[in-house]
Amino acid sequence: MADVSMQKVKDLMAKKDAIEKEIKEFQDTLDSQKGVGMQGTLIDEQNYPRSDIDVYAVRVARNRIICLQNDHKVLMKEIEEGIHEIHARAREQKDNEKETKEDTEMADISTKLKAFLRVDSVAEGSPSSQAGLKIGDHILKFGSISGENFNGLQDIASVVQHSKGIPVSITVEREERTQTLSLTPNTWSGRGLLGCHIVPVK
């Protein structure tokens, strides 16, 4: 990302928020169809399309979620690269001068995301372990869930259920540094799809 500006990062973040909102809307559509999710079968025992759900709406929602999650992944990478570049440039420009406007805005973005979950344990060989999640990590964002719209661990369970086999972007704070990890919920030799234990931050 050449010569990135703070405005460019803000624009990317606005796009990211819009994508997350759209993903949530399509996930709500899947929830409304008997909770069929990303994996539920669309045919009945006679191999006919199920009559109790809107099969077309489910197919469209699933397809859009996959496309949007791919777009989201690309955007998150661009945002992370942009933030790193702004920090690097700010460090070069700092000759004991006052904090620049960009530094202040950068701090605003970091503080805007508040930790709402803490990683209590991570099982070896699990999807969480492969994604680089560590005990003590504070989660600022889990897919489309942040501190602002988090209502309980059921929200996380819903995202995980809808994202089996699909990478989920997770923003964590570790030793006062923010980083983004890509975690793909999936079946493994242990329990659940993640292989970690997370608890809400009080």
Side-chain angles (χ1 to χ4, degrees):
M1 192 184 283
D3 194 26
V4 70
S5 68
M6 195 64 221
Q7 189 54 49
K8 171 80 171 167
V9 172
K10 281 174 154 180
D11 291 346
L12 289 172
M13 288 187 80
K15 279 188 194 170
K16 173 186 74 74
D17 289 343
I19 285 177
E20 286 170 358
K21 188 181 174 198
E22 208 176 335
I23 288 173
K24 175 83 167 62
E25 285 167 3
F26 282 116
Q27 284 177 340
D28 287 345
T29 298
L30 293 181
D31 286 341
S32 72
Q33 299 297 313
K34 309 276 187 187
V36 70
M38 295 294 286
Q39 306 291 331
T41 182
L42 303 182
I43 55 173
D44 59 22
E45 290 171 358
Q46 278 78 42
N47 285 335
Y48 287 109
R50 282 172 60 178
S51 58
D52 60 332
I53 60 172
D54 185 338
V55 172
Y56 177 74
V58 171
R59 285 186 192 280
V60 169
R62 285 178 175 178
N63 184 50
R64 285 298 294 146
I65 285 173
I66 290 167
C67 293
L68 287 165
Q69 282 176 329
N70 288 335
D71 291 347
H72 187 272
K73 194 176 174 186
V74 172
L75 267 178
M76 288 303 289
K77 191 168 186 298
E78 283 188 45
I79 289 168
E80 195 175 357
E81 286 172 358
I83 287 172
H84 280 314
E85 188 167 324
I86 288 167
H87 273 317
R89 205 166 59 220
R91 275 197 297 274
E92 285 168 18
Q93 290 170 351
K94 254 185 199 169
D95 293 315
N96 298 324
E97 57 189 39
K98 288 180 190 172
E99 196 177 37
T100 63
K101 185 168 181 280
E102 282 191 349
D103 283 334
T104 309
E105 289 181 336
M106 196 56 244
D108 287 346
I109 286 175
S110 298
T111 53
K112 192 175 160 193
L113 290 175
K114 288 192 167 58
F116 63 100
L117 294 170
R118 190 183 75 249
V119 180
D120 232 11
S121 66
V122 179
E124 203 174 322
S126 66
S128 293
S129 170
Q130 287 169 3
L133 212 57
K134 295 189 182 301
I135 294 171
D137 280 353
H138 281 81
I139 296 176
L140 308 176
K141 208 156 178 51
F142 193 105
S144 58
I145 309 294
S146 68
E148 290 176 358
N149 61 4
F150 175 70
N151 296 311
L153 289 174
Q154 189 53 43
D155 292 351
I156 303 299
S158 176
V159 171
V160 171
Q161 211 59 43
H162 288 141
S163 306
K164 187 178 176 185
I166 303 165
V168 177
S169 181
I170 299 176
T171 305
V172 302
E173 189 175 53
R174 182 183 300 162
E175 295 171 359
E176 296 182 8
R177 287 194 62 186
T178 304
Q179 55 185 290
T180 304
L181 307 175
S182 179
L183 170 56
T184 305
N186 230 324
T187 48
W188 60 293
S189 57
R191 289 175 57 190
L193 297 176
L194 298 181
C196 71
H197 185 245
I198 50 178
V199 293
V201 173
K202 289 173 184 168

